[in-house]
Amino acid sequence: MVEKQLSDMKTGEKTNTDRGPVLLTTLLPGERAKIVALGAGSGRQRHFRTMGLKEGKIVEIRATQPARGPLVIDVEGTLIAIGRGMARQILIQKI
Amino acid sequence: MKKITLMGCPNVGKSVVFSRLTGVNVISSNYPGTTVDFIKGTTFIGGEKFELIDVPGTYSLEPTSKAEAVAQTMLHEGDIVITVVDATHLERNLYLTLEILETKKPAVIALNLWDETRHLGIEIDVAKLERVLGVPIVPTCAICGTGIKELASAVGDAHPSKTLKQMSEEERWLKVGEIIQDVQVVHHRHHTMWERLADTTVRPTTGIPLAILVILLMFLFIIEVGNVLIYYLMDPLFYAYYGPLIVGAVNSFVSSGLLHDLLVGTSTIESLDFEQSLGLLTTGLYVPFGVVLPFVITFYFMLSILEDTGYLPRLAVLVDTGLHKLGLHGSAIVPTILGCGCNVPGALATRILETEKQRFIAMTLMAIAIPCMAQSAMIFAILGRYGMKWILIVYSTLLVLYISLGLLLKRIVKGESPELLLEVPPYRKPDPRTLLKKTWSKAYGFLAEAVPFVILGIFIVNLLSVSGMIDILSRIFSPILTTVLGLPEGAIVALILGILRKDIAIGMLLPLGMTPQQLTISCIILTTYFPCIAAFVVLFRELGSLAMLKAVGLMAVVSLSVGIIMRVIVIGI
Ligand SMILES: Nc1nc2c(ncn2[C@@H]2O[C@H](COP(=O)(O)OP(=O)(O)OP(=O)(O)O)[C@@H](O)[C@H]2O)c(=O)[nH]1
Ligand SMILES: [Mg+2]
C-alpha cells in the first residue's frame, strides 16, 4: 500500500490535494508533518532511523536551499540536513 | 593491559570523555565526524592500567563511511566497551547501544550531556534503564567533569548485558520503542527565540551573506592579527634579542668558514638577516617561529571557534549545492577548511565522505589547490610587501583551479556522489579555555613538525650550494623554468625543497630577486605541483598507489599549464 503510494508519487500520477501521505519535499517551511513510511532499501532505512528519521516522528522544515539544494528539517528537536533525492524517500502526513 | 574502547554515535562527547580519563587532549568539536581514526591512550582505574581507545562515532555497526568502518573494527579490539550515549537523544542512540550490548562485551554506559537534559525538558529514569539494559549506567557531563570518577569506577563493574539477547533489526527497533516508553518522559517545549534566530544561519537569504561575512572576517583577522604578532612580538624578539645573541655566540666560537656559514649564514651582528642568510640558526628558526607561527596561531584560534560553536555543519548545508557540481557534497567543506591549516588532517577528514569518488576528488583538489597555513603565511609575508593585489591573484587562481578541476573530475571519475545527510548539532558556546588549549596544541604540533624539517631543508640547500649541485640542476631545468615559465633558473631549489616543506621552499624564492609577477607564478606553481612529503605519505595511504599515481600526474599537468597561462597573463610572452 505504502509502496504503491510511493511509486505513484515518483511517477507523479497522484497530486497531494487530499490529506493522504505525501513526499517530504512537498512540505513547506513552518508546516509540520508526521513520518509515515520510509522508501528505499533496508540499509538506507536503517540509516534514516538511526538519525532519528523514523516512522511516527514529527518533522518540520526549518530551511530550504535554492536550486534543488538540501532541506534542513527538525525532527523532534534535532536538526538534520538532507538532500532532496533522499527526502523524496520519506513519506509524510501533514498535520 | 586490558583495552577499553569508547564507542557511540557521532558528536556525543566520546573525545571529551577520552581527554578526561587519559589527561591527553584529543581534538573534540561540535560537529559529527571530528574523530576519523582511533586514538590510543592509557588510564589508571582502581590501580590497574588500561589502554583507552577513542573511536570515530557511528550511527550503527553497519558503516556508511570509512570513519564508521574504523569504529566497527575497533569494537572487536576492546575487552571492555564504554558506550557513550547522548542523553538528549536517547532514542536514536539506543539502537547502536543495543547492537553493542548484544555482542556480549563487558560494557558500561556513560549517559553524557546530562547537563543539557534539564532545560530540554527530558527526564530519564536511570535506574530503570540500567535494569532493562543490564549494564552499569552513569550520567555524565564530560565538559564539566561530573560523573567521570563514577564512570571510571563503574568500569570495574563492567559486565556483559544480563538481560539482552541477540535481536533482528526489526526486534531491535521495537525494543528501542519499548524502552523509551518505559524510561523517558519529554515535557513539551516551544522553540526558543535563540533557536529561531539560529535558523537565519541556515536559510539561504540570510545565511549566505552571513557566511561570506564570516569567512571574510576570519581571513582579515588571520592576516591582520598575524601581522601584528610579527611586527610587535616576533620581529623585535628576533632582531633585538635573539639575533645579536646567537650571531655573537657563534662568532666567538667559529668566526668564519663552512661551519659558521652553516649556522648563521651571511648574517652579521651589524646586518642581521633572517630571511636570506640561510643559516640553520637564523633562517632555520625565523621561518617557523617568526613568520609562520603567528599565522598558525591566528588560524587555529579562528578554526576552533568555527568548530566549537557548531557553525561548520551549517556552512556545509549552505555550500552543498555548489559542491555537488564538483562531485562532492556539503560535508566536504570540513576537510577543505582543515586542509587550509594543514593538508594532513584535511586528507584524513575526507573519511567522513561516503564514497571513493568523493574522497578522491576531495583529496586531489586539496593537494592541488588548497595551500596549508605554513605556505599561506609565507605567501602573505613575501607577496604582501608588494601589495594585497598579488596575494589576491594567487588565491583567485587557486579558487578557479579548484572549481574547474572539480567540474572536470566529477565527470571523469567513476563512482557515486551521494547526497548530503548530516546531523546539525545545536549551537554551543565555546569555552575560552578549550579554545586556547586547542590553539596551543595545534601550534605545538606545527612547531614539532616544522622546525626539524625546515632545518633539514636549509641543511640540504647548503649542501647543494657547497657541492655545486645547484648550478648543475639549474642548468638542467633552465629550459622549462626560464624559457617556458619565465622564472630565474635558481627557482629549481625552491621546487626541490617544496617536496620537503612548502614554507621554506617559498622562502627560497627571496634570494632570487624576483619581480612580484615572477613571485606570484612561483607561489602558484609551488602550491600545485606536488604535496609536501608529510601530505604525500598520508594521501598515498588514504588513496592507494593507483589513485595516487593519477593524482600526481594531474598535479604535474595542472601546475605546468597554470604556470604557462599565468605567465602569459601577468608577464606576457
Ligand atoms: N554541554 C555539554 N557538552 C558536551 C558534553 N560532552 C561533550 N560536549 C560537547 O559536545 C561536542 C562533541 O564532543 P566530542 O567529544 O568531539 O564528540 P565525539 O563523540 O568525540 O564526536 P565524533 O568524534 O565526531 O564522533 C563538543 O562541542 C563538546 O564540547 C557534555 O557533557 N555537556
Ligand atoms: Mg571524537
Side-chain angles (χ1 to χ4, degrees), chain B residues 11 13-16 26-29 33-36 54-57:
Chain B
N11 209 40
K14 298 176 295 299
S15 296
V16 182
V26 293
I27 297 297
S28 63
S29 318
T34 307
T35 312
V36 291
D54 187 18
V55 174

Side-chain angles (χ1 to χ4, degrees), chain A:
Chain A
M1 163 65 181
V2 162
E3 278 74 14
K4 167 85 173 62
Q5 276 165 345
L6 202 64
S7 70
D8 282 350
M9 292 296 154
K10 281 194 179 131
T11 52
E13 278 164 16
K14 209 170 189 175
T15 49
N16 50 351
T17 44
D18 54 303
R19 301 278 290 169
V22 291
L23 300 181
L24 177 57
T25 41
T26 61
L27 199 62
L28 299 172
E31 283 185 316
R32 280 151 54 85
K34 181 189 263 184
I35 299 180
V36 292
L38 304 173
S42 67
R44 175 61 58 77
Q45 280 184 356
R46 186 192 318 113
H47 199 186
F48 280 155
R49 290 189 187 121
T50 54
M51 292 188 77
L53 294 166
K54 213 173 131 188
E55 295 89 336
K57 296 282 160 195
I58 308 292
V59 294
E60 187 188 325
I61 304 278
R62 296 282 280 274
T64 53
Q65 306 300 318
R68 305 181 40 76
L71 311 172
V72 180
I73 55 179
D74 180 329
V75 196
E76 305 198 344
T78 309
L79 290 190
I80 290 173
I82 180 171
R84 262 175 225 250
M86 279 200 222
R88 224 167 290 142
Q89 284 157 2
I90 297 173
L91 213 53
I92 52 158
Q93 175 111 47
K94 291 189 188 178
I95 48 175

